[in-house]
Structure formats: C-alpha cells, structure tokens
Amino acid sequence: MSSPAAPLHRALRAQAAMELRLTLRQGENLLVILILPVLLLLFFASARIVPTVAGSSPADYLVPGILTVAVMSTGMVSLGIATAYQRSYGVLKRLGGSPLPRGGLIAAKGLSVLVIEAGQVALIGLVALWAYHWRPQGAPGLAVLVLLLGAITFAAMGLAMAGGLRAELTLAGANGLYVLFLVLGGVVLPVDHLPGFVQPLAQLLPVTALCSTLRATLTPGAALPTGDLVLLVAWLAVAVGLAVKTFRWE
Amino acid sequence: MTAAPVAAPTGEPAIELAGVGKRYGAVTALRDVSLTVAPGELLAVLGPNGAGKTTTVEILEGYRRADVGRVRVLGCDPDADGARLRPRMGLMLQSGGLYPLMRVGEALRLFASFFRRPADPEELLAAVGLAGVRGSRIKQLSGGERQRLSLALALVGRPEVCFLDEPTAGMDPRARRLTWDFISRLQGEGTTIVLTTHFMEEADRLADRVAILHEGRVVACDTPAALKGAGAGETLRVEVATAFDPAPLAMLAAVRAVTPTGPGSCVLRVEDPPAALAAVAAWLRDQGLRARRLEVGGGSLEDVFLQLTGGADGAAETAPAAEGGR
C-alpha cells in the first residue's frame, strides 16, 4: 500500500515549475529581474556618460553590463531572498522530510533560475536590438558560457546568504550588495571613472570580473581578460563552497 | 516510575527507540527514552512543553540525530537511511512548512508529484474539508485550515508510518472533531501513527497507547485504560485564590499523596472522597485560605498526567483540554 518515491526527474520538474511560478507571482521579483535591467539599459544609453569608441553605440558597452545585472538580480537577490524566506517559513524543513532529495531541490532552483535568465537575456537583447540596433558581436557562444559561470556564482552567493543569515538579513544584504555591485562593478559606470581609492577594491568584486570578461567576449577582436576570468572562477568556487557549507533545511 | 520499554503487542515493531538520549548544549532534551510502536498502532506522546515530545518525533523523522541509543523506523535508521524511509513516511511539523504564496491545490499536487502512487489530491482535500478553498493562497487560510492542509500533505504519499506533531493545535472544536475522525479512519486503514498532543481528550480518544514524557523521560507508557487504572483511584483537585504550601495536607487521614500543580493548586490522591473533601475544606478554612475549586475526580487521563508530571507547566498544558468540548 505504500508509495515509493516518484522518479527524480518528475519530482524535479514539479519543484522547478513551482519555484518558477512562485517567483513570477511576486511583483517585486518582476521589478528587480525584468523591469529594472531594462530601465537601466534605456536610462544609461541616453545619459551620455557611457564611454563609446568611434563606430560603436552606448549599447555595445551597456549590454554586457545589463546582462551582468540580470544574473545578479535573479541569482543573488531573487533566489537568495526567496530561499531565505522558505527556510524561515519551514518550507525547506518540510521539503527535507519529503522524498525530494536535497540535490533535487537545488537542481530545481537552478533550473528555475536558468529559465528566468534565458528570458532576461532574450528581453534585454530584443530591447537593445529594437532601440539601438545592437547586434551580438565577438564570440557570443563564449559569452553564454561566461554568463553561465556568473549565473552560478551569483546563485551560489544568494543560497549562501539564505543558509547563513536570517531572512531579514538576507533581504537587506542581497539588496545592499546589489546596489554596491551596480555602482562599483563597472556595469554601467566604468571602473576607471570611480574615485581612485575604490578602484582596487572594485577590481576584485565578482561583478567586475564577470562584467569585464563578458564585455571582452562581446567585443570583436578583444582578447579574453585572463585575470578577470580567473577571478570569476575563484569567486565561483568560493561561493559554491560557502553555499554547500551553510545550506540548512531549518 | 521506570523508563523500561513497554513491549508492543506482537511481532516486529514499526518504530523502535531504545535508550535514546539527546542533548542540546547544556540542556538534556531526552534521557534513556525507550518506546516501541507496533504496525498499525497509534501511540500518543503526551507531555508538558519542553518535555521532549518534538525532539522525540524529530529524531524519528530523521531531522535530528540521537546522541545515544538505537532508533528504527520500518527497520531503517532514519538518520543514516532517510532516503529509503522518506517515501514511506508522512509527517506534519508542529508549525510552518507552508509557503504563504502557494495555493492549497498547488501545494498538494506538488507533494503528490514526489510519490509514485500518491493519493488523489482532490479526494484528500475533500476528506480534510478543504475542497472549498483549493484555489486560495495559503496566507489566506485560518490556522486550523493550515493544520488540515499540513495533515493532507502528510498523507498524500499514502505513508505506512505517520508522525503528527500536535495535529489539532489551533483548531476550533468542530475542526478538531473532524480531524479526530479522519485520524481514526487512517488508523483503521492500518497506518502506524505517532502523534504528540497537549490534549488529554485527544490522547484518550485516539491512542492505542499513551506515552507520558516528563523532563525528557518516559514516565509512563500504557493503554489509556491501564494508565487510568494505575492512577490509583480517586483524586481531589484543589485550587486556592492565593499561593500556599499544600504539603501539610498530606497529614490529613484521608489524603494519601500531594502533588503541587501550581502556586495555588495541587492534586491529592485520596482514599475516601467525601471524607477527604470535608477534611480539606475544613483545613483550608482553618488556614484562612479561600478555595476556588475543590473537585473530586479520578481516573481521568488528565489526573494521571497531573500526578506524573506535576508542576505549574503541566497544569497550564491541560487547560485547553476543557475547550476540546465534552
């Protein structure tokens, strides 16, 4: 009469669909993952403070930055905060007592994040195309890989905060880091325009590493910035390690 | 009282705890707890707050690891073998576990998708009386409705063994009765159930056996009838408007034992209730104490519980039992 566990792929699909639905059900998530990146693109493209070289449009500089903001908002802000509240509501604990394994829960969250990020990339790309005739240049395939590394890094940072901090602190921390990274990460404002004393710090941030690597892959003829790529991978390792270490059902 | 295990009626037990101890830092939550539950049996774990009820259940569910002792659920060690156990187990947390933005039907379908042959979510919703709110968000539900949803989630995988941590807390009397009927039916279908409760009536009504926990120990474990029989006859509950020391009451001829249950209250075990009543009333008057309540009882599970656990905490715990209706 007992029912053994369902095949993992079925449980995983159901959980991922639920995570996705719950994310899109909250207005503040839609604001931070879809509306804000598009507004940032439109605002900074017309603000004339973005560096352009002859023959390129502000969008060429901005799109990699906005894509960086997009994966940061989905992984660190939206996923981190949602997971922190799931933990404080006992949802994670209850799931821990179900046949869905821990790896299945993380995979479901990852899947939901990837679906959202694919939507973000499509939306940002279309807006840039429509408004600024932006075209992907350089090595778009490589850009996708780099963006994926960044997505994993920021999702792991969100999960690490959700596991290590109270929900209220995760909420404050994720939003605080979001603003900090937006200002210091070279996403809309070049790092060398920042005050001299912040620049060395800004160069070490994961957001800066992702953004400059991504920008290089989308610039024709630009060399891959090895230092930034190594830094990004290092951040990825640290963030994943922290997320694994701090993960708690309760 | 001893903590010796009471043997389950027959065969291999569905659940077994032997010599289980658990500490949180300097606090000892459980000491030498031994219990068995036979397949299809319903064991109620009764005790004041902090007695170790939730710790016991959470060790069985695999959420916590016992420091010492042997733990088996359906032959598996829930700590080491949780993945094999979880598909055969249903559980209801004491509180929480539900995401406020989820809809009732969604939550049940999600959990159903974790099992190969789940119960029909719609039938289950109807059975716990939630069919009418299947489209509501969980944050819009009353406390009692959330409890019933948690119960439905515990059962959606057709579990062989079910752990219900205070399943009727926060329910109004009508919902509580509905839930009792539902749990009885579940038991009738052969599900092994461990439930914790504050409510004497709940334990008395549902349980095949009742384990009374006090300060992390099993102080009694038997059928409700045997426990009531062992309560050594009749009791007199005394409540006085002010704090007093009830110890001298033991000197009265008709009084066999005194158990303080609060600053102004105690339970007496008595030989001859009318004589004891008269003697206690006279004593109170001599002391200038104003009696608020003198009640001859005896043989109720609540009396046994009070005698075994004593203390103000225990008295506070039993208060909601009256609200359960009679």
Side-chain angles (χ1 to χ4, degrees):
Chain A
M1 65 164 276
S2 93
S3 161
L8 183 60
H9 66 86
R10 213 183 85 200
L12 202 151
R13 218 171 39 230
Q15 182 65 33
M18 179 61 74
E19 297 278 347
L20 191 59
R21 270 209 299 277
L22 289 175
T23 306
L24 300 179
R25 196 168 281 175
Q26 279 172 286
E28 62 266 37
N29 279 328
L30 295 180
L31 183 71
V32 75
I33 64 187
L34 293 178
I35 298 171
L36 265 180
V38 170
L39 285 181
L40 286 171
L41 174 63
L42 296 176
F43 178 80
F44 281 94
S46 52
R48 301 187 179 284
I49 54 171
V50 172
T52 49
V53 290
S56 79
S57 82
D60 291 329
Y61 182 85
L62 282 172
V63 168
I66 299 300
L67 291 175
T68 300
V69 171
V71 297
M72 178 167 91
S73 61
T74 303
M76 186 178 72
V77 180
S78 169
L79 174 71
I81 293 171
T83 306
Y85 276 94
Q86 285 179 356
R87 182 160 76 88
S88 87
Y89 285 126
V91 177
L92 295 187
K93 180 175 180 179
R94 182 62 190 84
L95 286 172
S98 83
L100 181 72
R102 164 175 151 168
L105 175 65
I106 302 298
K109 285 182 176 292
L111 212 58
S112 152
V113 162
L114 281 182
V115 170
I116 293 171
E117 286 170 348
Q120 289 176 304
V121 170
L123 178 70
I124 291 163
L126 284 175
V127 170
L129 174 76
W130 167 75
Y132 309 109
H133 309 293
W134 174 84
R135 292 278 190 290
Q137 299 169 350
L142 194 57
V144 169
L145 278 181
V146 170
L147 199 57
L148 199 61
L149 291 180
I152 296 171
T153 306
F154 283 113
M157 285 175 68
L159 289 177
M161 277 192 277
L165 305 174
R166 279 189 299 117
E168 296 77 5
L169 280 175
T170 301
L171 179 71
N175 283 319
L177 282 182
Y178 177 82
V179 172
L180 197 75
F181 287 176
L182 192 63
V183 174
L184 298 182
V187 290
V188 290
L189 211 62
V191 172
D192 51 20
H193 287 29
L194 297 172
F197 68 96
V198 240
Q199 287 186 22
L201 171 75
Q203 295 290 2
L204 291 176
L205 298 177
V207 60
T208 319
L210 170 61
C211 190
S212 56
T213 312
L214 194 60
R215 194 167 281 139
T217 59
L218 286 173
T219 306
L224 201 65
T226 324
D228 281 324
L229 184 60
V230 169
L231 184 61
L232 177 61
V233 172
W235 271 109
L236 184 149
V238 169
V240 169
L242 269 179
V244 169
K245 197 170 147 62
T246 61
F247 181 89
R248 267 175 296 160
W249 291 108
E250 289 180 61
Chain B
M1 289 291 157
T2 72
V6 174
T10 50
E12 198 57 8
I15 293 168
E16 185 187 0
L17 289 166
V20 168
K22 176 75 186 170
R23 296 170 68 87
Y24 300 114
V27 181
T28 301
L30 296 178
R31 46 189 110 201
D32 196 24
V33 167
S34 297
L35 289 168
T36 56
V37 186
E41 194 181 22
L42 192 154
L43 176 78
V45 180
L46 201 61
N49 272 341
K53 300 189 296 290
T54 295
T55 299
T56 304
V57 169
E58 291 196 342
I59 285 174
L60 292 171
E61 290 164 340
Y63 284 120
R64 322 215 167 280
R65 185 198 309 215
D67 297 336
V68 291
R70 178 185 151 87
V71 182
R72 289 290 178 277
V73 178
L74 302 173
C76 300
D77 175 349
D79 181 56
D81 235 358
R84 260 189 28 213
L85 187 56
R86 280 191 286 270
R88 304 169 67 190
M89 167 180 98
L91 65 94
M92 189 174 162
L93 299 176
Q94 190 174 109
S95 63
L98 303 171
Y99 204 61
L101 287 175
M102 248 188 234
R103 297 181 196 282
V104 170
E106 268 178 357
L108 208 52
R109 283 195 300 278
L110 173 67
F111 275 75
S113 71
F114 298 157
F115 298 90
R116 195 179 294 273
R117 283 187 303 278
D120 176 21
E122 283 301 315
E123 273 175 32
L124 203 49
L125 279 180
V128 296
L130 290 179
V133 293
R134 73 165 74 75
S136 302
R137 293 193 179 177
I138 287 167
K139 66 177 174 188
Q140 296 163 329
L141 300 184
S142 71
E145 285 170 333
R146 285 177 204 209
Q147 290 288 92
R148 280 183 279 154
L149 176 57
S150 290
L151 182 61
L153 291 179
L155 302 176
V156 74
R158 302 177 198 265
E160 288 166 72
V161 47
C162 208
F163 300 104
L164 309 175
D165 200 354
E166 301 191 12
T168 63
M171 286 188 186
D172 62 48
R174 201 185 65 86
R176 184 169 299 149
R177 252 154 227 289
L178 217 91
T179 306
W180 284 348
D181 290 344
F182 187 75
I183 294 174
S184 292
R185 231 179 308 143
L186 195 64
Q187 189 195 6
E189 292 163 11
T191 312
T192 307
I193 302 170
V194 175
L195 70 82
T196 72
T197 182
H198 283 166
F199 303 124
M200 307 300 141
E201 196 187 348
E202 185 162 296
D204 201 358
R205 188 175 170 133
L206 295 175
D208 297 311
R209 283 184 307 139
V210 178
I212 299 181
L213 273 187
H214 183 50
E215 293 173 353
R217 293 175 193 279
V218 179
V219 292
C221 182
D222 214 327
T223 63
L227 280 177
K228 286 185 280 190
E234 287 161 296
T235 60
L236 179 60
R237 293 173 77 175
V238 181
E239 275 180 43
V240 174
T242 50
F244 78 112
D245 174 18
L249 285 167
M251 311 294 278
L252 301 176
V255 176
R256 276 201 287 168
V258 179
T259 308
T261 52
S265 64
C266 61
V267 175
L268 310 175
R269 274 160 65 181
V270 299
E271 298 278 4
D272 173 6
L277 196 55
V280 170
W283 182 84
L284 290 174
R285 201 189 54 184
D286 293 346
Q287 303 295 312
L289 292 167
R290 177 187 289 270
R292 267 206 311 221
R293 179 177 180 190
L294 286 173
E295 188 181 274
V296 176
S300 86
L301 205 49
E302 187 168 355
D303 292 309
V304 179
F305 178 81
L306 284 176
Q307 283 175 28
L308 289 172
T309 62
D313 194 1
E317 294 299 313
T318 64
E323 166 207 321
R326 205 164 283 262

